[in-house]
Amino acid sequence: MPLHFSLCDKSLLREKRGEAEKRRERGKKKVGEESSWRRKHFMLWPRPLLGKEGATMHVKKYLLKCLHRLQKGPGYTYKELLVWYCDNTNTHGPKRIICEGPKKKAMWFLLTLLFTALVCWQWGNFIRTYLSWEVSVSLSVGFKTMDFPAVTICNASPFKYSKVKHLLKDLDELMEAVLERILAPELSHANATRTLNSSIWNHTPLVLIDERNPHHPVILDLFGDNHNGLTNSSASEKICNAHGCKMAMRLCSLNGTQCTFRNFTSATQAVTEWYSLQATNIFAQVPHQELVEMSYPGEQMILACLFGAEPCNYRNFTSIFYPHYGNCYIFNWGMTEKALPSANPGTEFGLKLILDIGQEDYVPFLTSTAGVRLMLHEQRSYPFIRDEGIYAMSGTETSIGVLVDKLQRMGEPYSPCTVNGSEVPVQNFYSDYNTTYSIQACLRSCFQDHMIHSCKCGHYLYPLPRGEKYCNNRDFPDWAHCYSDLQMSVAQRETCIGMCKESCNDTQYKMTISMADWPSEASEDWIFHVLSQERDQSTNITLSRKGIVKLNIYFQEFNYRTIEESAANNLVWLLSNLGGQFGFWMGGSVLCLIEFGEIIIDFVWITIINLVALAKSLRQRRAQASYSGPPPTVAELVEAHTNFGFQPDTAPRSPNTGPYPNEQALPIPGTPPPNYDSLRLQPLDVIESDSEGDAI
């Protein structure tokens, strides 16, 4: 009968299995009887196994019994296992493969294979989409009483010129000579009688470059000779007045043997950058406390303060030194006290300030902007005011309406962000301020770290780790060239951007700014009189419109926006899509997957059983090949096959002696009759004993 007819008939299959079980039980019983008969007649009693050898034999016996008990259902061959799965699975398709005729069997096989491949392809797409960790952004609007933001204010000029003039004397004289050389070269050449500090100029000079001939550019030092052979001063006049003349800053290292040129399109930019670089070299050698004393004090800068209905003064501000702007003052920073809440939205419930920037005492060549630099930020966060701040113009009243946006990112693996920066591989040089993590602090710390490793010194504008020094021309002559290369390095920026992460929770303040002249012409007289009396105890006016700034900072409304990330594809989405595709194309479910897993386990067990049987047969072949005495008898072979503990008698025999050492003639039993009913389809290796007997 063909195989597919017997398998489709369920009742016939059960009968076949029942008969096979009965034959197996009879075989076990008769094998036991044969084994007892052989022991009785042949007197081949197994020698007891002692010690480690006996324990090992019992363990092997137990494991073999367990192995056979685990594999009882589908069968002992791969073919039986596959047929059993196709006949019993709940997945549509495999049943039709074994129950239909040859043509339909081939058709159902192709359809099942096609739809299986389609399901696997869809599953791969869904899993790849899930592992891309995409996010969706939701916007919600809330209403509540909010904490007033921290407000940082700085003067546009970092120092008072009256206090740093002695430090910048040589540099200012050199700057005036440079400007004379640029603006009136003939007059400056005729009046060049004063002595200048050549060490500053020779270290980092300004040059003129004529690039009308790109293959042979002409380079001329403003106070020196032409590097290409021109020696008279008229050459510089021709170059400077010619179309295509550029000004550049020459940066050299290794005692001037390796130089680069930083070009500028305007002489204004060139002299400003050159002066700032030289001033950095000077201020880097001044102790920190002296720099603080040379900047604008809070009691002179903050003339009036009012928060809501409560008066305040400079003592309510926290002072920090910011290298770009000198002394900066932070209101409501929240470092030592609780943050101040805002009672209501509107101008009357905000912060009102009147500031004096002292513009008449600005450093002329270091600062070209007059006004107040201010920034709104979270409590306990460091204010990077140069990058995120805004200017308020002198002689005006600037009103700033604030709206709040709260950003909430999910974090890894959805967003590359960090909560506190602990997993960022960059040392935070701003940690001495006890502020929260920010990506700006990480980027600047990373740059300073590269600066220290590349130039052997730190830049004056960034915090310095312990044990290091700031760069200056005296101790580090090549620092300007190194700093310029590092600043222009794309690889350095990409490295720092790759290591630094954004903060997972951030608050941004959106500002609406409006300005008006303040004070008006009708009221400026009495206002300046009152402010001068309060600050300087003078009846004369000591303030002017060009130095006064008024600020109004307030919440426009208590509505705040929360921008929150959420997973675009979560685990529920993945499971529903996987199950939908599997059910639509193959009519399967989770139970079908469990069935497939069961078949995989059965496949593994059958493989293990076959490997055990193969290893046992190889071991028996090696034992037969290494037998040194006469060949074993049939009874010994049967006993060794059915009794794991049997040990043949290996004592040496003399040719003249009998089969037994004591030479006693024992009766030779007759050969037992053959037992044909014990023949089975399964090999003896897969028959087991349910009793305490041997496992076959």
Side-chain angles (χ1 to χ4, degrees), residues 532-539:
S532 299
Q533 172 65 27
E534 291 177 345
R535 190 185 71 169
D536 302 324
Q537 289 77 40
S538 174
T539 57

Side-chain angles (χ1 to χ4, degrees), residues 238 269 279 331 403 436 456 482 492 539-540 560 581 606:
K238 294 179 180 178
Q269 296 175 336
F331 177 79
L403 295 174
T436 57
K456 310 304 179 185
C482 177
Q492 183 273 330
T539 57
N540 299 324
Y560 66 94
Q581 294 296 322
I606 291 176

Side-chain angles (χ1 to χ4, degrees), residues 4-312:
H4 59 272
F5 289 117
S6 61
L7 291 173
C8 290
D9 190 351
K10 301 293 184 178
S11 60
L12 182 60
L13 182 60
R14 286 193 294 269
E15 292 177 1
K16 293 289 186 181
R17 288 180 178 173
E19 294 176 0
E21 290 292 335
K22 292 179 181 179
R23 287 196 301 269
R24 187 177 295 109
E25 294 296 331
R26 290 198 302 268
K28 293 177 184 177
K29 181 178 180 181
K30 292 180 179 180
V31 167
E33 294 175 354
E34 292 174 4
S35 183
S36 300
W37 186 90
R38 291 189 183 98
R39 290 193 187 99
K40 180 179 179 181
H41 291 277
F42 281 90
M43 303 294 292
L44 295 176
W45 300 99
R47 292 196 302 267
L49 297 177
L50 301 177
K52 184 177 180 181
E53 184 180 1
T56 304
M57 184 63 67
H58 286 297
V59 170
K60 291 182 179 179
K61 177 179 178 181
Y62 178 76
L63 292 177
L64 187 60
K65 290 177 65 176
C66 293
L67 185 64
H68 285 288
R69 284 172 179 172
L70 287 171
Q71 183 60 33
K72 279 189 175 182
Y76 286 92
T77 64
Y78 298 121
K79 182 177 180 181
E80 292 178 359
L81 180 64
L82 182 60
V83 172
W84 181 88
Y85 171 73
C86 293
D87 189 49
N88 291 276
T89 182
N90 292 318
T91 307
H92 301 305
K95 290 183 179 181
R96 308 298 295 271
I97 296 176
I98 64 173
C99 293
E100 299 292 344
K103 294 182 179 180
K104 289 188 176 181
K105 181 185 298 185
M107 180 189 69
W108 279 104
F109 176 77
L110 294 177
L111 289 176
T112 303
L113 188 63
L114 174 63
F115 292 149
T116 301
L118 185 60
V119 169
C120 292
W121 175 68
Q122 292 284 358
W123 280 10
N125 290 337
F126 286 125
I127 294 175
R128 185 169 56 253
T129 302
Y130 175 75
L131 295 179
S132 64
W133 311 115
E134 297 179 354
V135 298
S136 59
V137 180
S138 60
L139 176 64
S140 60
V141 179
F143 180 85
K144 69 174 183 178
T145 301
M146 294 180 291
D147 290 336
F148 198 77
V151 180
T152 300
I153 55 174
C154 306
N155 203 324
S157 177
F159 305 105
K160 301 178 73 172
Y161 187 58
S162 59
K163 294 186 177 182
V164 298
K165 189 174 182 179
H166 65 286
L167 297 175
L168 303 177
K169 178 181 178 182
D170 293 340
L171 182 59
D172 289 345
E173 292 178 354
L174 191 59
M175 184 67 172
E176 292 173 358
V178 169
L179 294 177
E180 291 177 0
R181 186 68 172 171
I182 294 174
L183 299 176
E186 296 180 356
L187 183 62
S188 64
H189 182 73
N191 298 332
T193 58
R194 54 184 170 178
T195 303
L196 301 176
N197 189 344
S198 60
S199 61
I200 299 177
W201 181 259
N202 293 335
H203 188 272
T204 310
L206 289 172
V207 297
L208 296 173
I209 302 177
D210 183 6
E211 294 183 342
R212 288 178 296 180
N213 187 355
H215 301 287
H216 299 283
V218 180
I219 302 174
L220 180 68
D221 194 320
L222 285 175
F223 297 108
D225 294 333
N226 189 345
H227 288 251
N228 291 347
L230 298 176
T231 56
N232 56 44
S233 61
S234 61
S236 64
E237 299 173 15
K238 294 179 180 178
I239 293 176
C240 190
N241 294 331
H243 178 71
C245 176
K246 289 184 179 180
M247 184 166 285
M249 184 165 49
R250 187 173 66 199
L251 304 170
C252 297
S253 63
L254 303 177
N255 295 325
T257 58
Q258 183 178 353
C259 297
T260 59
F261 295 90
R262 184 179 175 187
N263 298 333
F264 299 92
T265 57
S266 172
T268 302
Q269 296 175 336
V271 295
T272 301
E273 291 293 328
W274 177 82
Y275 189 93
S276 177
L277 185 65
Q278 300 302 329
T280 298
N281 162 62
I282 295 173
F283 293 134
Q285 304 177 57
V286 179
H288 179 267
Q289 187 59 35
E290 294 185 15
L291 295 175
V292 173
E293 294 174 356
M294 291 186 294
S295 186
Y296 289 83
E299 56 270 22
Q300 293 184 7
M301 183 175 174
I302 303 173
L303 302 180
C305 175
L306 187 66
F307 180 70
E310 296 293 330
C312 50

Side-chain angles (χ1 to χ4, degrees), residues 3 167 234 373 574 617:
L3 180 61
L167 297 175
S234 61
R373 188 78 170 174
L574 177 64
S617 63

